[in-house]
Amino acid sequence: MLKITNLHASIDDKEILKSFNIEVKPGEIHAIMGPNGTGKSTLANVITGRDSYDISEGSIIFKGEEILELSPDERARLGIFLAFQYPVEIPGVSTTNFMKAAINERRKHQGLDPMKAAEFLKLMKEKMALVEIDQKFMSRSLNEGFSGGEKKRNEIFQMAMLEPSLAILDETDSGLDIDALKIVSKGVNQLRNKDNAFIVITHYQRLLDYIVPDFVHVMYDGRIVKSGNKDLAKELEARGYDWIKEELGV
Amino acid sequence: MTKDDQILEEATSGEYKYGFTSNIEQEIAAAGLSEELVRFISAKKNEPEWLLAYRLKAFEIWQKMEEPSWAHVNYPKIDFQAISYYAAPKDRKKLNSLDEADPELLRTYEKLGIPIEEQKILAGVAVDFVMDSESVFTSFKKQLAEVGIIFMSISEAVQEYPELVKQYLGTVVPPRDNFYAALNSAVFSDGSFVYIPKGVRCPMELSTYFRINAENTGQFERTLIVAEEGSYVSYLEGCTAPQRDENQLHAAIVELIAMDNAEIKYSTVQNWYPGDKEGKGGIFNFVTKRGLCQGIRSKISWTQVETGSAVTWKYPSCILKGDYSIGEFYSVAVTNNYQQADTGTKMIHIGKNTRSRIVSKGISAGHSENSYRGLVQINKTAENAYNYSQCDSMLMGETCGAHTFPYLEIKNKTAKVEHEATTSKIGEDQLFYCNQRGLGDEEAVHLIVNGFCKEVFKELPMEFAVEAQKLLEISLEGSVG
């Protein structure tokens, strides 16, 4: 589904990703861990096509297509979703209207008519139940005045609505209490199937108790330095990152 | 003159003192505009003697006035001599079919969803007057007549209801009010007259739309709406047609009068030609709009969506004279390319327990300048007056400007006044967030801008709100990316 090869990305002449490689297949969950400032969020931004980054080398193949030249909205419509670490507020735009616009824009590009109102409402109801989000959030301005946990839950709700092929969760667990964490994880687990894939960026092993990854990668200095299964996350939790630095000789 | 009238007089004639200073040295060429011309217009319209006298007096006042320069706008000096005051403005070439019309104009009509028959009328194609709209118009008139509502052009009203017109014309915006008001009072071409009798709730939205086909009102429009005790009317001033006139001056006057427990809702969507992308051409829109809440518990509400004109200079205002009367002003002003807008409102509190609410949304893009200018004046007599003002500006890009000039004049200690103002930029992060959900830049901007304007749009009648949203999209086209 996703294959990133020898990716180099920099911002303001500072190289953040240095020969980054990963391959994600349908049905897989990959966790990416690592200390602060190692390029985890940059990776999420570069895959989704945020401006401001210079890509000097490498390729990102998604569903067999090179996507580096595509705009962020084109990538999104291909099925890439990012659950933001810091979801943005859009005053005056309700979650309902935002989702309606997003879904219909996608349908337009597929040559389909806008979704019928009844069908849309049914879909909303179903997905709201999935992430246990209250109806009242749907008519409020997007993320405006939402608590940290509410914002994250709203991200997962949007993911459920849009049913992406590849979802990137950028530190979705940060700022969540244990109950919210369980709800978010439950949502992800229910959406998971053999055709889609997840990249879960996190600092903490805690989330991975609920969203069990097939692979755990440790990122350091702009690339993956160690990969393993879910046990690697536990080891990191117990021993920290220093032993990896020692292994690397830095 | 009663004491109340004196206060009113002060409030209406003295308002330019408040920070709105004038210091231009202006030589006014009288040649284009003369006493003979004023007499000519009046004679053409077969007006009664009192109206001719009114026009002549206004002309005399205008001659002594100076063009105001306090607004935050720049435009070449208007040559009043070069302006045609009676015949020329609507002298458009008749086309034989839509194929002869400006394709860009047609593209705009299409985007606005204007039916093909109306497109023809707007573009100036010679059509036989569509039986359909004729009959719609007739049944509409009949319905209004049944409840005693008068809705006709002001020229007709002068002939048919001279006493009513005479009683109210110029009582809210007197000719000496300002330079353009004096000009309009001298040479006004036509406009609407609405009279809602006591206790009548107007059964439909009154729209200039129903009039636009019947006659061309010209550039010096004059509207007068009187709502008698306990009546209600919602009036829509639509300018759906983006007129292609070059650098033309429009100086209109709108006067509203609400008696005891009456309510007037006045909505405008203005999209006159804003000039081209380099800032050439476009309408100069200098308008005086003012409502008088004469009666107890009366209410006047202005809602405007301004997307057109090269230069806009306009402050729909409310004089809250009746106790417990309410004034509202909801505004969206969009400027793009080289457009300039200096717009806002004045809320003059005279009566006790009067309340006013101001919600202004300014959006600037391109090289445009967008200013909010508002005055809240609480007079000594206005016990327990309350005002809430909210002025939000949104900037798109680096080369535009947004300015806020709030003026407060409070002479009564019991007054409560709240003011909130924000300036925001359409952020890269907001755009990216929308992009990431699959929305392109244009769609993302529409969504964000519509959200920003929501509080104002929801005040508009439904079909108007839809039109306003579409207009916004058209005027901001190509302003990102």
Side-chain angles (χ1 to χ4, degrees), chain B residues 1-14 319-321 348-351 377 379-382:
Chain B
M1 199 183 259
T2 66
K3 196 168 161 245
D4 267 1
D5 286 338
Q6 259 172 12
I7 294 171
L8 182 57
E9 165 111 8
E10 266 173 37
T12 53
S13 62
I319 299 164
L320 304 170
K321 187 179 164 202
I348 314 287
H349 292 252
I350 298 170
Q377 186 190 79
N379 285 277
K380 263 192 198 140
T381 48

Side-chain angles (χ1 to χ4, degrees), chain A residues 50 76-77 80 82 155 158, chain B residues 428 430 433 436-438:
Chain A
R50 191 160 196 154
R77 291 195 297 267
I80 298 177
L82 173 62
E155 292 292 292
Q158 292 182 37
Chain B
E428 188 267 336
Q430 275 181 330
Y433 191 77
Q436 214 300 304
R437 299 305 184 242

Side-chain angles (χ1 to χ4, degrees), chain B residues 109-122:
Chain B
Y109 288 161
E110 211 154 277
K111 283 188 191 159
L112 285 170
I114 297 175
I116 202 92
E117 285 305 315
E118 277 166 31
Q119 287 191 25
K120 286 182 186 170
I121 296 161
L122 295 173

Side-chain angles (χ1 to χ4, degrees), chain B residues 209-225:
Chain B
Y209 214 56
F210 282 96
R211 264 200 31 248
I212 200 163
N213 303 347
E215 77 251 32
N216 287 313
T217 46
Q219 60 202 96
F220 297 99
E221 197 167 337
R222 181 107 200 179
T223 299
L224 175 59
I225 300 177

Side-chain angles (χ1 to χ4, degrees), chain A residues 49-186:
Chain A
R50 191 160 196 154
D51 259 352
S52 58
Y53 292 94
D54 288 324
I55 313 293
S56 56
E57 240 187 296
S59 78
I60 305 179
I61 308 287
F62 180 67
K63 293 180 176 170
E65 187 183 348
E66 173 60 70
I67 61 167
L68 273 176
E69 292 303 313
L70 298 183
S71 64
D73 50 306
E74 286 168 326
R75 297 185 202 196
R77 291 195 297 267
L78 276 180
I80 298 177
F81 181 92
L82 173 62
F84 283 70
Q85 185 177 2
Y86 303 109
V88 176
E89 297 180 3
I90 306 185
V93 177
S94 65
T95 303
T96 304
N97 279 341
F98 188 58
M99 280 293 97
K100 205 180 280 170
I103 283 179
N104 286 335
E105 187 65 17
R106 197 162 299 211
R107 290 173 67 96
K108 194 171 97 190
H109 283 268
Q110 292 163 350
L112 298 172
D113 287 336
M115 191 179 269
K116 296 232 170 18
E119 194 186 340
F120 179 76
L121 284 176
K122 193 171 155 255
L123 185 70
M124 289 266 297
K125 264 208 168 116
E126 186 190 315
K127 305 299 185 185
M128 269 157 47
L130 195 71
V131 288
E132 298 176 31
I133 204 163
D134 197 274
Q135 173 75 44
K136 67 171 193 262
F137 287 103
M138 296 298 116
S139 49
R140 275 170 51 181
S141 286
L142 192 63
N143 292 322
E144 206 180 30
F146 286 24
S147 73
E150 286 161 353
K151 285 182 183 173
K152 297 296 175 72
R153 235 192 283 182
N154 192 281
E155 292 292 292
I156 302 302
F157 166 74
Q158 292 182 37
M159 180 176 85
M161 289 292 287
L162 297 170
E163 297 182 332
S165 313
L166 173 70
I168 302 163
L169 275 54
D170 189 5
E171 299 199 19
T172 299
D173 52 336
S174 67
L176 286 189
D177 62 33
I178 196 76
D179 292 334
L181 189 71
K182 280 182 185 165
I183 292 167
V184 163
S185 309
K186 192 181 124 205

Side-chain angles (χ1 to χ4, degrees), chain B residues 53-127:
Chain B
Y54 180 87
R55 286 180 183 274
L56 288 173
K57 178 78 185 155
F59 177 63
E60 198 190 309
I61 292 167
W62 180 76
Q63 281 179 305
K64 292 180 193 143
M65 289 179 119
E66 289 183 339
E67 198 179 344
S69 66
W70 43 259
H72 190 79
V73 292
N74 273 304
Y75 53 91
K77 262 190 188 175
I78 296 169
D79 182 357
F80 290 93
Q81 198 174 6
I83 294 172
S84 164
Y85 291 89
Y86 186 71
K90 295 298 158 184
D91 195 17
R92 286 184 294 184
K93 197 178 74 179
K94 284 283 174 200
L95 310 174
N96 292 316
S97 80
L98 268 184
D99 302 339
E100 294 174 26
D102 180 350
E104 201 187 322
L105 188 63
L106 293 179
R107 205 172 63 98
T108 310
Y109 288 161
E110 211 154 277
K111 283 188 191 159
L112 285 170
I114 297 175
I116 202 92
E117 285 305 315
E118 277 166 31
Q119 287 191 25
K120 286 182 186 170
I121 296 161
L122 295 173
V125 176
V127 279

Side-chain angles (χ1 to χ4, degrees), chain B residues 173-191:
Chain B
V173 182
R176 70 179 167 278
D177 187 81
N178 70 71
F179 184 81
Y180 298 105
L183 181 63
N184 177 291
S185 299
V187 300
F188 67 89
S189 34
D190 212 334

